[in-house]
Amino acid sequence: MPETNHKPVQLALIGAGLFTKDAYVPLLRRHASTVQICAVWSRSAKATDILLPLIQEFAPNVKGFHGDDQLDKLLRDPNVDAVAVVLPVQVMLQVAQKCLKAGKHVLQEKPVAQSVEVVNRAIKDFHQLSQQPVWALAENYRSEQGFHKACQMMHELETIIKVKLSDSSASAASSMSIWPAFYPACTTSTSTETCSDAMSGSVLRLH
């Protein structure tokens, strides 16, 4: 098949903390031909200055921004296609919403917010935008076949108390449990099922 040349996505990192440095930067270094880091923003100029040299090793044209005014400047840049928001939960959703309103595609770290009520309001506001960019949560488990199987079981079986998903190739620490519902009256019988699947630890999957 003929090769197709796609312009790399121009991505701004919103947040310059340890998780950005340890998780996002190494991953994006490996995928620099697909996604290029064009900007880094932090509330702190010091944090931006520390992270920039690491990114410049594979994205020499990356620009540094800090403070609220410079965030607005970054979001006005038409060359920025998308942002990855990696901030403390107390401020992350507010910043993500600002990026969405500016028309930027958003990959947001978890948890989305501090309460379900706040998230529901944010989703309602998102659907009221005249143009809706992509708003995605940085969580790979939704793509794992084990979780798809668990979802299928929840529809096919009757009362489910607990579904346990475990990685048979790793330690028991890799096991995860889903609690779709809790029924206090169910004390003598439960419907349980165990699924095994390889679970990835990557933050992003870029193909």
Side-chain angles (χ1 to χ4, degrees):
M1 296 178 61
E3 293 185 3
T4 56
N5 294 321
H6 297 285
K7 180 183 175 183
V9 174
Q10 299 298 305
L11 178 73
L13 293 175
I14 307 299
L18 286 176
F19 193 67
T20 301
K21 173 180 174 291
D22 294 341
Y24 278 78
V25 171
L27 179 63
L28 290 167
R29 179 192 295 268
R30 296 198 300 272
H31 293 279
S33 63
T34 305
V35 179
Q36 292 181 351
I37 304 178
C38 61
V40 178
W41 176 89
S42 175
R43 291 187 184 278
S44 161
K46 181 179 178 180
T48 302
D49 291 342
I50 291 173
L51 192 61
L52 270 178
L54 296 176
I55 298 174
Q56 287 170 338
E57 294 175 4
F58 60 94
N61 296 322
V62 63
K63 299 177 182 178
F65 297 83
H66 66 274
D68 292 339
D69 291 342
Q70 291 194 16
L71 176 59
D72 293 336
K73 180 180 178 181
L74 186 160
L75 294 178
R76 287 195 299 268
D77 187 344
N79 295 315
V80 177
D81 299 317
V83 301
V85 182
V86 193
L87 294 170
V89 65
Q90 294 86 349
V91 297
M92 183 160 50
L93 179 59
Q94 180 182 355
V95 173
Q97 288 179 296
K98 189 171 189 175
C99 297
L100 290 167
K101 290 177 181 178
K104 307 302 181 186
H105 302 299
V106 172
L107 177 68
Q108 179 181 344
E109 263 303 327
K110 54 193 177 294
V112 176
Q114 293 174 291
S115 72
V116 174
E117 291 77 13
V118 171
V119 174
N120 285 337
R121 286 199 300 270
I123 292 173
K124 183 178 179 180
D125 291 342
F126 173 73
H127 286 299
Q128 291 177 348
L129 294 176
S130 57
Q131 293 184 342
Q132 294 180 357
V134 174
W135 181 16
L137 180 66
E139 176 56 85
N140 265 0
Y141 286 130
R142 61 182 175 178
S143 300
E144 296 295 339
Q145 292 187 11
F147 278 79
H148 285 276
K149 178 63 176 178
C151 182
Q152 179 184 346
M153 288 160 38
M154 290 176 192
H155 288 289
E156 293 177 351
L157 301 178
E158 295 180 356
T159 301
I160 302 175
I161 302 301
K162 180 180 179 181
V163 178
K164 183 175 181 181
L165 300 162
S166 62
D167 183 352
S168 59
S169 64
S171 65
S174 299
S175 298
M176 296 188 65
S177 297
I178 300 175
W179 296 84
F182 175 65
Y183 299 92
C186 297
T187 57
T188 58
S189 66
T190 59
S191 296
T192 62
E193 193 76 34
T194 300
C195 302
S196 296
D197 191 54
M199 294 186 179
S200 168
S202 300
V203 177
L204 294 165
R205 282 185 175 174
L206 304 172
H207 299 291

mmCIF file of all heavy atoms in Angstrom, residues 37-66:
data_model
loop_
_atom_site.group_PDB
_atom_site.id
_atom_site.type_symbol
_atom_site.label_atom_id
_atom_site.label_comp_id
_atom_site.label_asym_id
_atom_site.label_seq_id
_atom_site.Cartn_x
_atom_site.Cartn_y
_atom_site.Cartn_z
ATOM 1 N N ILE A 37 5.426 18.047 20.335
ATOM 2 C CA ILE A 37 5.163 18.995 21.417
ATOM 3 C C ILE A 37 5.576 20.381 20.937
ATOM 4 O O ILE A 37 6.748 20.626 20.654
ATOM 5 C CB ILE A 37 5.928 18.628 22.695
ATOM 6 C CG1 ILE A 37 5.606 17.201 23.127
ATOM 7 C CG2 ILE A 37 5.579 19.607 23.810
ATOM 8 C CD1 ILE A 37 6.362 16.744 24.360
ATOM 9 N N CYS A 38 4.608 21.268 20.824
ATOM 10 C CA CYS A 38 4.895 22.616 20.326
ATOM 11 C C CYS A 38 4.950 23.648 21.444
ATOM 12 O O CYS A 38 5.480 24.746 21.252
ATOM 13 C CB CYS A 38 3.864 23.028 19.287
ATOM 14 S SG CYS A 38 2.167 23.089 19.914
ATOM 15 N N ALA A 39 4.410 23.290 22.632
ATOM 16 C CA ALA A 39 4.375 24.264 23.724
ATOM 17 C C ALA A 39 4.250 23.541 25.059
ATOM 18 O O ALA A 39 3.707 22.438 25.138
ATOM 19 C CB ALA A 39 3.224 25.239 23.536
ATOM 20 N N VAL A 40 4.747 24.201 26.091
ATOM 21 C CA VAL A 40 4.599 23.730 27.475
ATOM 22 C C VAL A 40 4.163 24.908 28.322
ATOM 23 O O VAL A 40 4.741 26.001 28.223
ATOM 24 C CB VAL A 40 5.919 23.166 28.037
ATOM 25 C CG1 VAL A 40 5.738 22.742 29.486
ATOM 26 C CG2 VAL A 40 6.417 22.003 27.204
ATOM 27 N N TRP A 41 3.142 24.680 29.140
ATOM 28 C CA TRP A 41 2.655 25.751 30.018
ATOM 29 C C TRP A 41 2.609 25.257 31.447
ATOM 30 O O TRP A 41 2.269 24.102 31.735
ATOM 31 C CB TRP A 41 1.248 26.191 29.616
ATOM 32 C CG TRP A 41 0.671 27.232 30.548
ATOM 33 C CD1 TRP A 41 0.800 28.583 30.453
ATOM 34 C CD2 TRP A 41 -0.118 26.996 31.729
ATOM 35 N NE1 TRP A 41 0.144 29.210 31.491
ATOM 36 C CE2 TRP A 41 -0.427 28.246 32.293
ATOM 37 C CE3 TRP A 41 -0.571 25.841 32.367
ATOM 38 C CZ2 TRP A 41 -1.175 28.392 33.451
ATOM 39 C CZ3 TRP A 41 -1.322 25.975 33.525
ATOM 40 C CH2 TRP A 41 -1.629 27.237 34.061
ATOM 41 N N SER A 42 2.928 26.155 32.366
ATOM 42 C CA SER A 42 2.759 25.914 33.794
ATOM 43 C C SER A 42 2.451 27.242 34.461
ATOM 44 O O SER A 42 2.781 28.312 33.932
ATOM 45 C CB SER A 42 4.036 25.307 34.401
ATOM 46 O OG SER A 42 3.891 25.176 35.809
ATOM 47 N N ARG A 43 1.822 27.180 35.603
ATOM 48 C CA ARG A 43 1.619 28.422 36.356
ATOM 49 C C ARG A 43 2.971 29.000 36.782
ATOM 50 O O ARG A 43 3.131 30.203 36.932
ATOM 51 C CB ARG A 43 0.755 28.154 37.590
ATOM 52 C CG ARG A 43 -0.686 27.816 37.260
ATOM 53 C CD ARG A 43 -1.535 27.719 38.516
ATOM 54 N NE ARG A 43 -2.890 27.306 38.219
ATOM 55 C CZ ARG A 43 -3.848 28.130 37.801
ATOM 56 N NH1 ARG A 43 -3.578 29.407 37.636
ATOM 57 N NH2 ARG A 43 -5.065 27.670 37.556
ATOM 58 N N SER A 44 3.939 28.122 36.963
ATOM 59 C CA SER A 44 5.259 28.516 37.453
ATOM 60 C C SER A 44 6.262 28.597 36.309
ATOM 61 O O SER A 44 6.434 27.637 35.553
ATOM 62 C CB SER A 44 5.745 27.508 38.499
ATOM 63 O OG SER A 44 7.129 27.582 38.687
ATOM 64 N N ALA A 45 6.956 29.722 36.197
ATOM 65 C CA ALA A 45 8.011 29.854 35.189
ATOM 66 C C ALA A 45 9.143 28.871 35.475
ATOM 67 O O ALA A 45 9.748 28.321 34.549
ATOM 68 C CB ALA A 45 8.537 31.287 35.180
ATOM 69 N N LYS A 46 9.432 28.612 36.740
ATOM 70 C CA LYS A 46 10.500 27.697 37.109
ATOM 71 C C LYS A 46 10.215 26.289 36.600
ATOM 72 O O LYS A 46 11.095 25.619 36.051
ATOM 73 C CB LYS A 46 10.672 27.679 38.628
ATOM 74 C CG LYS A 46 11.783 26.761 39.108
ATOM 75 C CD LYS A 46 11.913 26.801 40.628
ATOM 76 C CE LYS A 46 13.007 25.848 41.109
ATOM 77 N NZ LYS A 46 13.137 25.876 42.597
ATOM 78 N N ALA A 47 8.971 25.816 36.763
ATOM 79 C CA ALA A 47 8.615 24.472 36.312
ATOM 80 C C ALA A 47 8.747 24.356 34.796
ATOM 81 O O ALA A 47 9.231 23.339 34.270
ATOM 82 C CB ALA A 47 7.193 24.134 36.748
ATOM 83 N N THR A 48 8.316 25.379 34.080
ATOM 84 C CA THR A 48 8.444 25.372 32.618
ATOM 85 C C THR A 48 9.907 25.334 32.205
ATOM 86 O O THR A 48 10.308 24.570 31.316
ATOM 87 C CB THR A 48 7.767 26.617 32.009
ATOM 88 O OG1 THR A 48 6.398 26.634 32.387
ATOM 89 C CG2 THR A 48 7.868 26.606 30.496
ATOM 90 N N ASP A 49 10.739 26.149 32.861
ATOM 91 C CA ASP A 49 12.158 26.221 32.514
ATOM 92 C C ASP A 49 12.882 24.906 32.782
ATOM 93 O O ASP A 49 13.825 24.559 32.069
ATOM 94 C CB ASP A 49 12.831 27.349 33.308
ATOM 95 C CG ASP A 49 12.367 28.736 32.869
ATOM 96 O OD1 ASP A 49 11.805 28.847 31.759
ATOM 97 O OD2 ASP A 49 12.552 29.688 33.643
ATOM 98 N N ILE A 50 12.446 24.162 33.782
ATOM 99 C CA ILE A 50 13.072 22.871 34.084
ATOM 100 C C ILE A 50 12.721 21.832 33.031
ATOM 101 O O ILE A 50 13.562 21.031 32.609
ATOM 102 C CB ILE A 50 12.640 22.384 35.488
ATOM 103 C CG1 ILE A 50 13.271 23.280 36.567
ATOM 104 C CG2 ILE A 50 13.029 20.928 35.706
ATOM 105 C CD1 ILE A 50 12.769 22.980 37.969
ATOM 106 N N LEU A 51 11.464 21.851 32.567
ATOM 107 C CA LEU A 51 10.998 20.822 31.635
ATOM 108 C C LEU A 51 11.448 21.080 30.194
ATOM 109 O O LEU A 51 11.685 20.143 29.427
ATOM 110 C CB LEU A 51 9.474 20.722 31.692
ATOM 111 C CG LEU A 51 8.834 19.520 31.002
ATOM 112 C CD1 LEU A 51 9.323 18.217 31.623
ATOM 113 C CD2 LEU A 51 7.329 19.596 31.085
ATOM 114 N N LEU A 52 11.568 22.329 29.813
ATOM 115 C CA LEU A 52 11.863 22.677 28.419
ATOM 116 C C LEU A 52 13.109 21.987 27.854
ATOM 117 O O LEU A 52 13.063 21.445 26.743
ATOM 118 C CB LEU A 52 11.991 24.188 28.268
ATOM 119 C CG LEU A 52 10.714 24.958 27.934
ATOM 120 C CD1 LEU A 52 10.994 26.454 27.878
ATOM 121 C CD2 LEU A 52 10.107 24.490 26.621
ATOM 122 N N PRO A 53 14.251 21.976 28.556
ATOM 123 C CA PRO A 53 15.443 21.346 27.970
ATOM 124 C C PRO A 53 15.253 19.864 27.646
ATOM 125 O O PRO A 53 15.814 19.370 26.657
ATOM 126 C CB PRO A 53 16.508 21.530 29.061
ATOM 127 C CG PRO A 53 16.045 22.710 29.847
ATOM 128 C CD PRO A 53 14.552 22.620 29.845
ATOM 129 N N LEU A 54 14.462 19.154 28.437
ATOM 130 C CA LEU A 54 14.212 17.732 28.161
ATOM 131 C C LEU A 54 13.430 17.558 26.863
ATOM 132 O O LEU A 54 13.699 16.654 26.076
ATOM 133 C CB LEU A 54 13.429 17.103 29.320
ATOM 134 C CG LEU A 54 14.128 17.060 30.683
ATOM 135 C CD1 LEU A 54 13.182 16.502 31.736
ATOM 136 C CD2 LEU A 54 15.398 16.233 30.606
ATOM 137 N N ILE A 55 12.472 18.430 26.642
ATOM 138 C CA ILE A 55 11.646 18.332 25.441
ATOM 139 C C ILE A 55 12.401 18.828 24.210
ATOM 140 O O ILE A 55 12.247 18.295 23.113
ATOM 141 C CB ILE A 55 10.343 19.124 25.640
ATOM 142 C CG1 ILE A 55 9.546 18.528 26.802
ATOM 143 C CG2 ILE A 55 9.492 19.128 24.370
ATOM 144 C CD1 ILE A 55 8.317 19.310 27.187
ATOM 145 N N GLN A 56 13.255 19.818 24.391
ATOM 146 C CA GLN A 56 13.995 20.367 23.262
ATOM 147 C C GLN A 56 14.954 19.353 22.647
ATOM 148 O O GLN A 56 15.387 19.532 21.504
ATOM 149 C CB GLN A 56 14.761 21.617 23.707
ATOM 150 C CG GLN A 56 13.846 22.818 23.933
ATOM 151 C CD GLN A 56 14.545 23.982 24.585
ATOM 152 O OE1 GLN A 56 15.576 23.809 25.246
ATOM 153 N NE2 GLN A 56 13.987 25.174 24.424
ATOM 154 N N GLU A 57 15.260 18.285 23.371
ATOM 155 C CA GLU A 57 16.114 17.237 22.814
ATOM 156 C C GLU A 57 15.481 16.574 21.597
ATOM 157 O O GLU A 57 16.182 16.092 20.711
ATOM 158 C CB GLU A 57 16.416 16.183 23.890
ATOM 159 C CG GLU A 57 17.260 16.704 25.046
ATOM 160 C CD GLU A 57 17.422 15.667 26.144
ATOM 161 O OE1 GLU A 57 16.939 14.519 25.947
ATOM 162 O OE2 GLU A 57 18.026 15.982 27.187
ATOM 163 N N PHE A 58 14.140 16.524 21.556
ATOM 164 C CA PHE A 58 13.463 15.905 20.409
ATOM 165 C C PHE A 58 12.416 16.818 19.775
ATOM 166 O O PHE A 58 11.844 16.481 18.738
ATOM 167 C CB PHE A 58 12.799 14.577 20.821
ATOM 168 C CG PHE A 58 11.764 14.708 21.910
ATOM 169 C CD1 PHE A 58 10.415 14.847 21.598
ATOM 170 C CD2 PHE A 58 12.123 14.687 23.241
ATOM 171 C CE1 PHE A 58 9.456 14.962 22.579
ATOM 172 C CE2 PHE A 58 11.168 14.807 24.249
ATOM 173 C CZ PHE A 58 9.841 14.944 23.915
ATOM 174 N N ALA A 59 12.158 17.965 20.389
ATOM 175 C CA ALA A 59 11.233 18.964 19.824
ATOM 176 C C ALA A 59 11.878 20.329 19.987
ATOM 177 O O ALA A 59 11.495 21.105 20.868
ATOM 178 C CB ALA A 59 9.881 18.897 20.520
ATOM 179 N N PRO A 60 12.860 20.649 19.143
ATOM 180 C CA PRO A 60 13.664 21.860 19.358
ATOM 181 C C PRO A 60 12.884 23.166 19.242
ATOM 182 O O PRO A 60 13.336 24.190 19.750
ATOM 183 C CB PRO A 60 14.734 21.766 18.260
ATOM 184 C CG PRO A 60 14.164 20.845 17.224
ATOM 185 C CD PRO A 60 13.314 19.869 17.983
ATOM 186 N N ASN A 61 11.721 23.136 18.615
ATOM 187 C CA ASN A 61 10.956 24.371 18.422
ATOM 188 C C ASN A 61 9.908 24.613 19.502
ATOM 189 O O ASN A 61 9.095 25.533 19.385
ATOM 190 C CB ASN A 61 10.274 24.353 17.051
ATOM 191 C CG ASN A 61 11.278 24.340 15.907
ATOM 192 O OD1 ASN A 61 12.322 24.989 15.982
ATOM 193 N ND2 ASN A 61 10.988 23.580 14.863
ATOM 194 N N VAL A 62 9.902 23.783 20.538
ATOM 195 C CA VAL A 62 8.903 23.929 21.595
ATOM 196 C C VAL A 62 9.061 25.283 22.286
ATOM 197 O O VAL A 62 10.172 25.782 22.479
ATOM 198 C CB VAL A 62 9.032 22.775 22.621
ATOM 199 C CG1 VAL A 62 10.376 22.810 23.334
ATOM 200 C CG2 VAL A 62 7.893 22.823 23.620
ATOM 201 N N LYS A 63 7.929 25.887 22.659
ATOM 202 C CA LYS A 63 7.925 27.182 23.330
ATOM 203 C C LYS A 63 7.424 27.031 24.763
ATOM 204 O O LYS A 63 6.564 26.191 25.046
ATOM 205 C CB LYS A 63 7.036 28.170 22.571
ATOM 206 C CG LYS A 63 7.493 28.451 21.148
ATOM 207 C CD LYS A 63 6.512 29.391 20.444
ATOM 208 C CE LYS A 63 6.926 29.642 19.002
ATOM 209 N NZ LYS A 63 5.951 30.517 18.296
ATOM 210 N N GLY A 64 7.936 27.849 25.646
ATOM 211 C CA GLY A 64 7.526 27.813 27.034
ATOM 212 C C GLY A 64 6.588 28.963 27.385
ATOM 213 O O GLY A 64 6.767 30.087 26.912
ATOM 214 N N PHE A 65 5.572 28.647 28.192
ATOM 215 C CA PHE A 65 4.605 29.646 28.637
ATOM 216 C C PHE A 65 4.375 29.456 30.135
ATOM 217 O O PHE A 65 4.483 28.338 30.649
ATOM 218 C CB PHE A 65 3.263 29.489 27.911
ATOM 219 C CG PHE A 65 3.333 29.694 26.420
ATOM 220 C CD1 PHE A 65 3.723 28.658 25.580
ATOM 221 C CD2 PHE A 65 2.995 30.918 25.857
ATOM 222 C CE1 PHE A 65 3.786 28.842 24.211
ATOM 223 C CE2 PHE A 65 3.049 31.110 24.488
ATOM 224 C CZ PHE A 65 3.451 30.068 23.660
ATOM 225 N N HIS A 66 4.011 30.537 30.832
ATOM 226 C CA HIS A 66 3.662 30.416 32.244
ATOM 227 C C HIS A 66 2.699 31.534 32.623
ATOM 228 O O HIS A 66 2.663 32.595 31.993
ATOM 229 C CB HIS A 66 4.909 30.456 33.132
ATOM 230 C CG HIS A 66 5.614 31.787 33.111
ATOM 231 N ND1 HIS A 66 6.553 32.121 32.159
ATOM 232 C CD2 HIS A 66 5.499 32.883 33.910
ATOM 233 C CE1 HIS A 66 6.997 33.341 32.373
ATOM 234 N NE2 HIS A 66 6.373 33.832 33.421
#
